[in-house]
Amino acid sequence: MMNGFDMNNEYIEAVRRINAGKSRKLFVLTFGCQQNEADSEQVRGIGLLMGYSLTETPDDADIIIVNTCAIREHAEDKALSMLGNFKALKRKRPELVVGVIGCMAAERHVVEHIKTGFHYVTFTLEPNMLHLLPEVIYRKLALGKRSFIVGKDDGSLTEGIPAERSSGFKAWVSIMYGCNNFCSYCIVPYTRGRERSRPSESILSECRGLVAHGVKEITLLGQNVNSYKSDMDFATLIENIALLDGDFTVRFMTSHPKDVSDRLIEVMGKYSPKIAPYFHLPLQSGSDRILKLMHRTYNSEKFLTTVRKLREAVPGIALSTDVIVGFPTETDEDFEDTLRVLREVEFDLVYSFIYSKREGTPAARMDGQVDQARKDERMSRLLALSDAFADKKNKELIGTVQRVLVESRSKRGSESSYTARTLTNKLVHFTSDECLIGEFTEVLIEKAGAFELFGKLKK
Ligand code: 5AD
Ligand code: SF4
């Protein structure tokens, strides 16, 4: 059969037959990271194969799939409250199918809570199990059964699930799944399982196909892309992608500082700007004591050395990072160490998070949890510092010409305003008489704030 993947063809066909002649609609709601966005594109791809059309609202949907995030408590609360909202819809339309996928669907206690507390939820399906989607939907539609698939991930990998991509010129390409690092605060190794890398040939042929279809930006995705390992390592994989003919850039998300090899730095320098001169390098903390407790396996000195090498090899590279504030036992001194590293690096952007206790992780059981007021106070100091550097870095670009990929009409400004992204991943607003969405162009930067740039088209 066409478009099939692994063993689920019979269920795709069965659901398709059930849906035949009816107008059935699928709504996918996505929380969390780019990996979830990419997974949702696959859910839509499978949905189309099963005879659903896509809708942008839950109100006229026959099936609602909520793709959840478990990284912090706040993310879980948001998803659960959204699920609560669907109760009224289900009352109005008893045939409604509601499914939960994503990281929360891999947490046994959450699945138990959903099973007993949310009777209208039809199925949960943990990550790496999307190939079972047709089967759990079939079980509901044909047999009236609820399914809760958790703890079944055996580390295998399913190729060939079709993605219904939401953009014609930007594409996510997953290269590896899962994480082996077990940072002590992080739930991801428990929800997305052990690392597994896709064969390089299928990644390369996917990229070739995308470029042939005019895709201008490929983002390689994985929890820890630079520990990619198949018949080649990450540096060689991205080099091979950069060597493909075509006018496109390649980016990647997310990296672990311990895995940034000298060879990757060299490849980034050699192929910049085809490999975008941008690196998201999560620091988490600048205190060596806290880094050890976090199980990060590098210290601040090693991190700073990596930054120096990157800046030498890739002129104009932009750097962003993640920082956690208020990890258990974090003292004022530890926090000052973090600020010291931030001052030294001058990141273009810092994503900062207040430590959130995740059940089942080692840090949740540590003594010395930091009280909320102290976390809040440290967070506001960190934001003030990181915003000041973001502003400074962006203002340095005033007067320069930046190559940008135009993404959409701008939400700020007139009909002829557009939003684009520099190769260094910064937002730029500019005006143009011609619609340039999906095209590369050049913009002269005239004004800059901490989070956006303003410019005019270079004639
Ligand atoms: N609490 C707060 N932030 C966290 N992150 C991961 N786990 C937690 C947690 N328990 C942050 C890290 C990671 C980013 C994606 O989310 O900074 O890099
Ligand atoms: Fe979580 Fe650490 Fe893995 Fe990133 S590298 S997903 S922070 S365990």
Side-chain angles (χ1 to χ4, degrees), residues 34 58 111 151 160 163 165 173 208 212 255 266 269 311 323 358 363 374 386 398 419 423 454:
Q34 286 91 345
V111 170
R165 300 186 188 269
V173 173
R208 252 179 245 122
S255 306
E266 182 197 319
R311 287 205 163 128
V323 171
R358 304 288 56 217
R374 193 159 266 143
S386 55
I398 294 175
T419 299
L423 298 174
F454 298 86

mmCIF file with all atom_site columns, all heavy atoms in Angstrom, residues 34 58 111 151 160 163 165 173 208 212 255 266 269 311 323 358 363 374 386 398 419 423 454:
data_model
loop_
_atom_site.group_PDB
_atom_site.id
_atom_site.type_symbol
_atom_site.label_atom_id
_atom_site.label_alt_id
_atom_site.label_comp_id
_atom_site.label_asym_id
_atom_site.label_entity_id
_atom_site.label_seq_id
_atom_site.pdbx_PDB_ins_code
_atom_site.Cartn_x
_atom_site.Cartn_y
_atom_site.Cartn_z
_atom_site.occupancy
_atom_site.B_iso_or_equiv
_atom_site.pdbx_formal_charge
_atom_site.auth_seq_id
_atom_site.auth_comp_id
_atom_site.auth_asym_id
_atom_site.auth_atom_id
_atom_site.pdbx_PDB_model_num
ATOM 1   N N   . GLN A 1 34  ? 10.191  22.257 19.708 1.00 0.00 ? 34  GLN A N   1
ATOM 2   C CA  . GLN A 1 34  ? 10.136  22.012 18.259 1.00 0.00 ? 34  GLN A CA  1
ATOM 3   C C   . GLN A 1 34  ? 9.947   20.542 17.947 1.00 0.00 ? 34  GLN A C   1
ATOM 4   O O   . GLN A 1 34  ? 9.389   20.193 16.919 1.00 0.00 ? 34  GLN A O   1
ATOM 5   C CB  . GLN A 1 34  ? 11.423  22.496 17.577 1.00 0.00 ? 34  GLN A CB  1
ATOM 6   C CG  . GLN A 1 34  ? 11.528  23.984 17.460 1.00 0.00 ? 34  GLN A CG  1
ATOM 7   C CD  . GLN A 1 34  ? 12.231  24.584 18.658 1.00 0.00 ? 34  GLN A CD  1
ATOM 8   O OE1 . GLN A 1 34  ? 12.404  23.934 19.690 1.00 0.00 ? 34  GLN A OE1 1
ATOM 9   N NE2 . GLN A 1 34  ? 12.637  25.825 18.526 1.00 0.00 ? 34  GLN A NE2 1
ATOM 10  N N   . PRO A 1 58  ? -10.885 23.502 17.820 1.00 0.00 ? 58  PRO A N   1
ATOM 11  C CA  . PRO A 1 58  ? -11.471 22.296 18.407 1.00 0.00 ? 58  PRO A CA  1
ATOM 12  C C   . PRO A 1 58  ? -12.978 22.220 18.181 1.00 0.00 ? 58  PRO A C   1
ATOM 13  O O   . PRO A 1 58  ? -13.563 21.139 18.248 1.00 0.00 ? 58  PRO A O   1
ATOM 14  C CB  . PRO A 1 58  ? -11.164 22.452 19.905 1.00 0.00 ? 58  PRO A CB  1
ATOM 15  C CG  . PRO A 1 58  ? -10.916 23.897 20.123 1.00 0.00 ? 58  PRO A CG  1
ATOM 16  C CD  . PRO A 1 58  ? -10.366 24.438 18.834 1.00 0.00 ? 58  PRO A CD  1
ATOM 17  N N   . VAL A 1 111 ? -0.640  9.585  33.352 1.00 0.00 ? 111 VAL A N   1
ATOM 18  C CA  . VAL A 1 111 ? -1.545  8.730  32.570 1.00 0.00 ? 111 VAL A CA  1
ATOM 19  C C   . VAL A 1 111 ? -2.636  8.161  33.495 1.00 0.00 ? 111 VAL A C   1
ATOM 20  O O   . VAL A 1 111 ? -3.824  8.138  33.150 1.00 0.00 ? 111 VAL A O   1
ATOM 21  C CB  . VAL A 1 111 ? -0.757  7.597  31.865 1.00 0.00 ? 111 VAL A CB  1
ATOM 22  C CG1 . VAL A 1 111 ? -1.697  6.559  31.262 1.00 0.00 ? 111 VAL A CG1 1
ATOM 23  C CG2 . VAL A 1 111 ? 0.144   8.183  30.782 1.00 0.00 ? 111 VAL A CG2 1
ATOM 24  N N   . GLY A 1 151 ? 5.146   2.989  28.725 1.00 0.00 ? 151 GLY A N   1
ATOM 25  C CA  . GLY A 1 151 ? 6.146   1.987  29.129 1.00 0.00 ? 151 GLY A CA  1
ATOM 26  C C   . GLY A 1 151 ? 6.413   0.942  28.069 1.00 0.00 ? 151 GLY A C   1
ATOM 27  O O   . GLY A 1 151 ? 6.972   -0.110 28.336 1.00 0.00 ? 151 GLY A O   1
ATOM 28  N N   . GLY A 1 160 ? 9.584   6.661  7.946  1.00 0.00 ? 160 GLY A N   1
ATOM 29  C CA  . GLY A 1 160 ? 8.594   6.731  6.883  1.00 0.00 ? 160 GLY A CA  1
ATOM 30  C C   . GLY A 1 160 ? 7.231   7.268  7.281  1.00 0.00 ? 160 GLY A C   1
ATOM 31  O O   . GLY A 1 160 ? 6.292   7.234  6.485  1.00 0.00 ? 160 GLY A O   1
ATOM 32  N N   . ALA A 1 163 ? 4.891   13.479 7.031  1.00 0.00 ? 163 ALA A N   1
ATOM 33  C CA  . ALA A 1 163 ? 4.640   14.714 7.792  1.00 0.00 ? 163 ALA A CA  1
ATOM 34  C C   . ALA A 1 163 ? 3.834   15.667 6.926  1.00 0.00 ? 163 ALA A C   1
ATOM 35  O O   . ALA A 1 163 ? 4.131   15.829 5.742  1.00 0.00 ? 163 ALA A O   1
ATOM 36  C CB  . ALA A 1 163 ? 5.960   15.354 8.184  1.00 0.00 ? 163 ALA A CB  1
ATOM 37  N N   . ARG A 1 165 ? 3.653   19.171 6.560  1.00 0.00 ? 165 ARG A N   1
ATOM 38  C CA  . ARG A 1 165 ? 4.446   20.289 7.058  1.00 0.00 ? 165 ARG A CA  1
ATOM 39  C C   . ARG A 1 165 ? 3.658   21.587 7.008  1.00 0.00 ? 165 ARG A C   1
ATOM 40  O O   . ARG A 1 165 ? 2.958   21.853 6.045  1.00 0.00 ? 165 ARG A O   1
ATOM 41  C CB  . ARG A 1 165 ? 5.734   20.423 6.255  1.00 0.00 ? 165 ARG A CB  1
ATOM 42  C CG  . ARG A 1 165 ? 6.597   19.168 6.337  1.00 0.00 ? 165 ARG A CG  1
ATOM 43  C CD  . ARG A 1 165 ? 7.935   19.351 5.674  1.00 0.00 ? 165 ARG A CD  1
ATOM 44  N NE  . ARG A 1 165 ? 8.656   18.096 5.593  1.00 0.00 ? 165 ARG A NE  1
ATOM 45  C CZ  . ARG A 1 165 ? 9.497   17.645 6.517  1.00 0.00 ? 165 ARG A CZ  1
ATOM 46  N NH1 . ARG A 1 165 ? 9.725   18.354 7.610  1.00 0.00 ? 165 ARG A NH1 1
ATOM 47  N NH2 . ARG A 1 165 ? 10.105  16.486 6.371  1.00 0.00 ? 165 ARG A NH2 1
ATOM 48  N N   . VAL A 1 173 ? 13.721  18.480 10.528 1.00 0.00 ? 173 VAL A N   1
ATOM 49  C CA  . VAL A 1 173 ? 14.101  17.104 10.210 1.00 0.00 ? 173 VAL A CA  1
ATOM 50  C C   . VAL A 1 173 ? 14.668  16.474 11.490 1.00 0.00 ? 173 VAL A C   1
ATOM 51  O O   . VAL A 1 173 ? 15.725  16.892 11.977 1.00 0.00 ? 173 VAL A O   1
ATOM 52  C CB  . VAL A 1 173 ? 15.159  17.070 9.077  1.00 0.00 ? 173 VAL A CB  1
ATOM 53  C CG1 . VAL A 1 173 ? 15.677  15.652 8.878  1.00 0.00 ? 173 VAL A CG1 1
ATOM 54  C CG2 . VAL A 1 173 ? 14.552  17.590 7.772  1.00 0.00 ? 173 VAL A CG2 1
ATOM 55  N N   . ARG A 1 208 ? 17.533  16.091 0.758  1.00 0.00 ? 208 ARG A N   1
ATOM 56  C CA  . ARG A 1 208 ? 17.594  16.279 -0.694 1.00 0.00 ? 208 ARG A CA  1
ATOM 57  C C   . ARG A 1 208 ? 16.205  16.585 -1.246 1.00 0.00 ? 208 ARG A C   1
ATOM 58  O O   . ARG A 1 208 ? 16.014  17.508 -2.033 1.00 0.00 ? 208 ARG A O   1
ATOM 59  C CB  . ARG A 1 208 ? 18.118  15.001 -1.363 1.00 0.00 ? 208 ARG A CB  1
ATOM 60  C CG  . ARG A 1 208 ? 19.529  15.147 -1.890 1.00 0.00 ? 208 ARG A CG  1
ATOM 61  C CD  . ARG A 1 208 ? 20.007  13.847 -2.526 1.00 0.00 ? 208 ARG A CD  1
ATOM 62  N NE  . ARG A 1 208 ? 21.107  13.311 -1.758 1.00 0.00 ? 208 ARG A NE  1
ATOM 63  C CZ  . ARG A 1 208 ? 21.158  12.115 -1.180 1.00 0.00 ? 208 ARG A CZ  1
ATOM 64  N NH1 . ARG A 1 208 ? 20.153  11.273 -1.299 1.00 0.00 ? 208 ARG A NH1 1
ATOM 65  N NH2 . ARG A 1 208 ? 22.210  11.744 -0.487 1.00 0.00 ? 208 ARG A NH2 1
ATOM 66  N N   . ALA A 1 212 ? 14.920  20.015 -3.025 1.00 0.00 ? 212 ALA A N   1
ATOM 67  C CA  . ALA A 1 212 ? 14.352  19.941 -4.382 1.00 0.00 ? 212 ALA A CA  1
ATOM 68  C C   . ALA A 1 212 ? 12.967  20.587 -4.432 1.00 0.00 ? 212 ALA A C   1
ATOM 69  O O   . ALA A 1 212 ? 12.549  21.100 -5.462 1.00 0.00 ? 212 ALA A O   1
ATOM 70  C CB  . ALA A 1 212 ? 14.280  18.489 -4.841 1.00 0.00 ? 212 ALA A CB  1
ATOM 71  N N   . SER A 1 255 ? 21.774  21.232 21.574 1.00 0.00 ? 255 SER A N   1
ATOM 72  C CA  . SER A 1 255 ? 23.095  20.649 21.749 1.00 0.00 ? 255 SER A CA  1
ATOM 73  C C   . SER A 1 255 ? 23.437  20.529 23.217 1.00 0.00 ? 255 SER A C   1
ATOM 74  O O   . SER A 1 255 ? 22.872  21.223 24.047 1.00 0.00 ? 255 SER A O   1
ATOM 75  C CB  . SER A 1 255 ? 24.138  21.556 21.112 1.00 0.00 ? 255 SER A CB  1
ATOM 76  O OG  . SER A 1 255 ? 23.810  21.815 19.788 1.00 0.00 ? 255 SER A OG  1
ATOM 77  N N   . GLU A 1 266 ? 34.941  23.252 13.393 1.00 0.00 ? 266 GLU A N   1
ATOM 78  C CA  . GLU A 1 266 ? 35.637  23.468 12.120 1.00 0.00 ? 266 GLU A CA  1
ATOM 79  C C   . GLU A 1 266 ? 34.645  23.441 10.940 1.00 0.00 ? 266 GLU A C   1
ATOM 80  O O   . GLU A 1 266 ? 34.673  24.310 10.067 1.00 0.00 ? 266 GLU A O   1
ATOM 81  C CB  . GLU A 1 266 ? 36.680  22.354 11.987 1.00 0.00 ? 266 GLU A CB  1
ATOM 82  C CG  . GLU A 1 266 ? 37.544  22.413 10.763 1.00 0.00 ? 266 GLU A CG  1
ATOM 83  C CD  . GLU A 1 266 ? 38.224  21.049 10.534 1.00 0.00 ? 266 GLU A CD  1
ATOM 84  O OE1 . GLU A 1 266 ? 38.670  20.416 11.524 1.00 0.00 ? 266 GLU A OE1 1
ATOM 85  O OE2 . GLU A 1 266 ? 38.261  20.613 9.368  1.00 0.00 ? 266 GLU A OE2 1
ATOM 86  N N   . GLY A 1 269 ? 32.579  26.561 10.736 1.00 0.00 ? 269 GLY A N   1
ATOM 87  C CA  . GLY A 1 269 ? 33.351  27.669 10.172 1.00 0.00 ? 269 GLY A CA  1
ATOM 88  C C   . GLY A 1 269 ? 33.464  27.535 8.660  1.00 0.00 ? 269 GLY A C   1
ATOM 89  O O   . GLY A 1 269 ? 33.239  28.483 7.908  1.00 0.00 ? 269 GLY A O   1
ATOM 90  N N   . ARG A 1 311 ? 33.681  31.283 18.488 1.00 0.00 ? 311 ARG A N   1
ATOM 91  C CA  . ARG A 1 311 ? 33.768  32.678 18.000 1.00 0.00 ? 311 ARG A CA  1
ATOM 92  C C   . ARG A 1 311 ? 34.964  32.867 17.073 1.00 0.00 ? 311 ARG A C   1
ATOM 93  O O   . ARG A 1 311 ? 34.901  33.665 16.134 1.00 0.00 ? 311 ARG A O   1
ATOM 94  C CB  . ARG A 1 311 ? 33.837  33.630 19.189 1.00 0.00 ? 311 ARG A CB  1
ATOM 95  C CG  . ARG A 1 311 ? 32.476  33.731 19.867 1.00 0.00 ? 311 ARG A CG  1
ATOM 96  C CD  . ARG A 1 311 ? 32.322  35.029 20.613 1.00 0.00 ? 311 ARG A CD  1
ATOM 97  N NE  . ARG A 1 311 ? 30.915  35.275 20.904 1.00 0.00 ? 311 ARG A NE  1
ATOM 98  C CZ  . ARG A 1 311 ? 30.447  35.557 22.113 1.00 0.00 ? 311 ARG A CZ  1
ATOM 99  N NH1 . ARG A 1 311 ? 31.270  35.658 23.138 1.00 0.00 ? 311 ARG A NH1 1
ATOM 100 N NH2 . ARG A 1 311 ? 29.157  35.774 22.285 1.00 0.00 ? 311 ARG A NH2 1
ATOM 101 N N   . VAL A 1 323 ? 19.302  28.831 30.989 1.00 0.00 ? 323 VAL A N   1
ATOM 102 C CA  . VAL A 1 323 ? 19.797  28.893 32.369 1.00 0.00 ? 323 VAL A CA  1
ATOM 103 C C   . VAL A 1 323 ? 18.664  28.511 33.315 1.00 0.00 ? 323 VAL A C   1
ATOM 104 O O   . VAL A 1 323 ? 17.525  28.920 33.112 1.00 0.00 ? 323 VAL A O   1
ATOM 105 C CB  . VAL A 1 323 ? 20.304  30.318 32.705 1.00 0.00 ? 323 VAL A CB  1
ATOM 106 C CG1 . VAL A 1 323 ? 20.606  30.462 34.188 1.00 0.00 ? 323 VAL A CG1 1
ATOM 107 C CG2 . VAL A 1 323 ? 21.532  30.659 31.885 1.00 0.00 ? 323 VAL A CG2 1
ATOM 108 N N   . ARG A 1 358 ? 10.536  17.960 39.128 1.00 0.00 ? 358 ARG A N   1
ATOM 109 C CA  . ARG A 1 358 ? 9.898   16.956 38.276 1.00 0.00 ? 358 ARG A CA  1
ATOM 110 C C   . ARG A 1 358 ? 9.936   15.607 38.962 1.00 0.00 ? 358 ARG A C   1
ATOM 111 O O   . ARG A 1 358 ? 11.016  15.067 39.220 1.00 0.00 ? 358 ARG A O   1
ATOM 112 C CB  . ARG A 1 358 ? 10.613  16.860 36.910 1.00 0.00 ? 358 ARG A CB  1
ATOM 113 C CG  . ARG A 1 358 ? 10.750  18.131 36.100 1.00 0.00 ? 358 ARG A CG  1
ATOM 114 C CD  . ARG A 1 358 ? 9.481   18.652 35.470 1.00 0.00 ? 358 ARG A CD  1
ATOM 115 N NE  . ARG A 1 358 ? 8.404   18.885 36.397 1.00 0.00 ? 358 ARG A NE  1
ATOM 116 C CZ  . ARG A 1 358 ? 7.123   18.652 36.141 1.00 0.00 ? 358 ARG A CZ  1
ATOM 117 N NH1 . ARG A 1 358 ? 6.761   18.156 34.998 1.00 0.00 ? 358 ARG A NH1 1
ATOM 118 N NH2 . ARG A 1 358 ? 6.210   18.913 37.034 1.00 0.00 ? 358 ARG A NH2 1
ATOM 119 N N   . ALA A 1 363 ? 16.959  15.342 41.181 1.00 0.00 ? 363 ALA A N   1
ATOM 120 C CA  . ALA A 1 363 ? 16.969  16.661 41.832 1.00 0.00 ? 363 ALA A CA  1
ATOM 121 C C   . ALA A 1 363 ? 15.718  16.895 42.679 1.00 0.00 ? 363 ALA A C   1
ATOM 122 O O   . ALA A 1 363 ? 15.749  17.650 43.654 1.00 0.00 ? 363 ALA A O   1
ATOM 123 C CB  . ALA A 1 363 ? 17.107  17.765 40.783 1.00 0.00 ? 363 ALA A CB  1
ATOM 124 N N   . ARG A 1 374 ? 13.185  33.655 46.780 1.00 0.00 ? 374 ARG A N   1
ATOM 125 C CA  . ARG A 1 374 ? 14.586  33.763 46.370 1.00 0.00 ? 374 ARG A CA  1
ATOM 126 C C   . ARG A 1 374 ? 14.739  33.453 44.875 1.00 0.00 ? 374 ARG A C   1
ATOM 127 O O   . ARG A 1 374 ? 15.487  34.119 44.159 1.00 0.00 ? 374 ARG A O   1
ATOM 128 C CB  . ARG A 1 374 ? 15.418  32.791 47.220 1.00 0.00 ? 374 ARG A CB  1
ATOM 129 C CG  . ARG A 1 374 ? 16.876  33.054 47.105 1.00 0.00 ? 374 ARG A CG  1
ATOM 130 C CD  . ARG A 1 374 ? 17.682  32.512 48.251 1.00 0.00 ? 374 ARG A CD  1
ATOM 131 N NE  . ARG A 1 374 ? 17.902  33.497 49.281 1.00 0.00 ? 374 ARG A NE  1
ATOM 132 C CZ  . ARG A 1 374 ? 17.918  33.210 50.576 1.00 0.00 ? 374 ARG A CZ  1
ATOM 133 N NH1 . ARG A 1 374 ? 17.652  32.000 50.989 1.00 0.00 ? 374 ARG A NH1 1
ATOM 134 N NH2 . ARG A 1 374 ? 18.183  34.151 51.448 1.00 0.00 ? 374 ARG A NH2 1
ATOM 135 N N   . SER A 1 386 ? 20.458  39.691 31.213 1.00 0.00 ? 386 SER A N   1
ATOM 136 C CA  . SER A 1 386 ? 20.446  39.062 29.886 1.00 0.00 ? 386 SER A CA  1
ATOM 137 C C   . SER A 1 386 ? 19.756  39.963 28.857 1.00 0.00 ? 386 SER A C   1
ATOM 138 O O   . SER A 1 386 ? 20.189  40.025 27.703 1.00 0.00 ? 386 SER A O   1
ATOM 139 C CB  . SER A 1 386 ? 19.828  37.667 29.933 1.00 0.00 ? 386 SER A CB  1
ATOM 140 O OG  . SER A 1 386 ? 18.560  37.713 30.482 1.00 0.00 ? 386 SER A OG  1
ATOM 141 N N   . ILE A 1 398 ? 23.311  47.468 13.994 1.00 0.00 ? 398 ILE A N   1
ATOM 142 C CA  . ILE A 1 398 ? 22.791  48.652 13.295 1.00 0.00 ? 398 ILE A CA  1
ATOM 143 C C   . ILE A 1 398 ? 23.824  49.112 12.261 1.00 0.00 ? 398 ILE A C   1
ATOM 144 O O   . ILE A 1 398 ? 25.011  49.207 12.567 1.00 0.00 ? 398 ILE A O   1
ATOM 145 C CB  . ILE A 1 398 ? 22.461  49.785 14.309 1.00 0.00 ? 398 ILE A CB  1
ATOM 146 C CG1 . ILE A 1 398 ? 21.297  49.346 15.205 1.00 0.00 ? 398 ILE A CG1 1
ATOM 147 C CG2 . ILE A 1 398 ? 22.123  51.091 13.585 1.00 0.00 ? 398 ILE A CG2 1
ATOM 148 C CD1 . ILE A 1 398 ? 20.953  50.300 16.319 1.00 0.00 ? 398 ILE A CD1 1
ATOM 149 N N   . THR A 1 419 ? 8.011   40.092 8.533  1.00 0.00 ? 419 THR A N   1
ATOM 150 C CA  . THR A 1 419 ? 8.919   39.627 9.569  1.00 0.00 ? 419 THR A CA  1
ATOM 151 C C   . THR A 1 419 ? 9.843   38.598 8.948  1.00 0.00 ? 419 THR A C   1
ATOM 152 O O   . THR A 1 419 ? 9.384   37.688 8.252  1.00 0.00 ? 419 THR A O   1
ATOM 153 C CB  . THR A 1 419 ? 8.130   38.975 10.722 1.00 0.00 ? 419 THR A CB  1
ATOM 154 O OG1 . THR A 1 419 ? 7.272   39.968 11.278 1.00 0.00 ? 419 THR A OG1 1
ATOM 155 C CG2 . THR A 1 419 ? 9.063   38.486 11.808 1.00 0.00 ? 419 THR A CG2 1
ATOM 156 N N   . LEU A 1 423 ? 20.267  34.975 9.623  1.00 0.00 ? 423 LEU A N   1
ATOM 157 C CA  . LEU A 1 423 ? 20.901  33.660 9.736  1.00 0.00 ? 423 LEU A CA  1
ATOM 158 C C   . LEU A 1 423 ? 21.272  33.390 11.187 1.00 0.00 ? 423 LEU A C   1
ATOM 159 O O   . LEU A 1 423 ? 21.358  32.246 11.622 1.00 0.00 ? 423 LEU A O   1
ATOM 160 C CB  . LEU A 1 423 ? 22.139  33.604 8.842  1.00 0.00 ? 423 LEU A CB  1
ATOM 161 C CG  . LEU A 1 423 ? 21.824  33.791 7.351  1.00 0.00 ? 423 LEU A CG  1
ATOM 162 C CD1 . LEU A 1 423 ? 23.098  33.870 6.541  1.00 0.00 ? 423 LEU A CD1 1
ATOM 163 C CD2 . LEU A 1 423 ? 20.931  32.650 6.846  1.00 0.00 ? 423 LEU A CD2 1
ATOM 164 N N   . PHE A 1 454 ? 14.860  46.272 13.298 1.00 0.00 ? 454 PHE A N   1
ATOM 165 C CA  . PHE A 1 454 ? 14.056  46.932 12.273 1.00 0.00 ? 454 PHE A CA  1
ATOM 166 C C   . PHE A 1 454 ? 15.003  47.380 11.172 1.00 0.00 ? 454 PHE A C   1
ATOM 167 O O   . PHE A 1 454 ? 16.102  47.862 11.463 1.00 0.00 ? 454 PHE A O   1
ATOM 168 C CB  . PHE A 1 454 ? 13.342  48.159 12.859 1.00 0.00 ? 454 PHE A CB  1
ATOM 169 C CG  . PHE A 1 454 ? 12.373  47.796 13.960 1.00 0.00 ? 454 PHE A CG  1
ATOM 170 C CD1 . PHE A 1 454 ? 12.817  47.680 15.272 1.00 0.00 ? 454 PHE A CD1 1
ATOM 171 C CD2 . PHE A 1 454 ? 11.035  47.555 13.673 1.00 0.00 ? 454 PHE A CD2 1
ATOM 172 C CE1 . PHE A 1 454 ? 11.940  47.318 16.297 1.00 0.00 ? 454 PHE A CE1 1
ATOM 173 C CE2 . PHE A 1 454 ? 10.156  47.188 14.698 1.00 0.00 ? 454 PHE A CE2 1
ATOM 174 C CZ  . PHE A 1 454 ? 10.609  47.077 16.002 1.00 0.00 ? 454 PHE A CZ  1
#
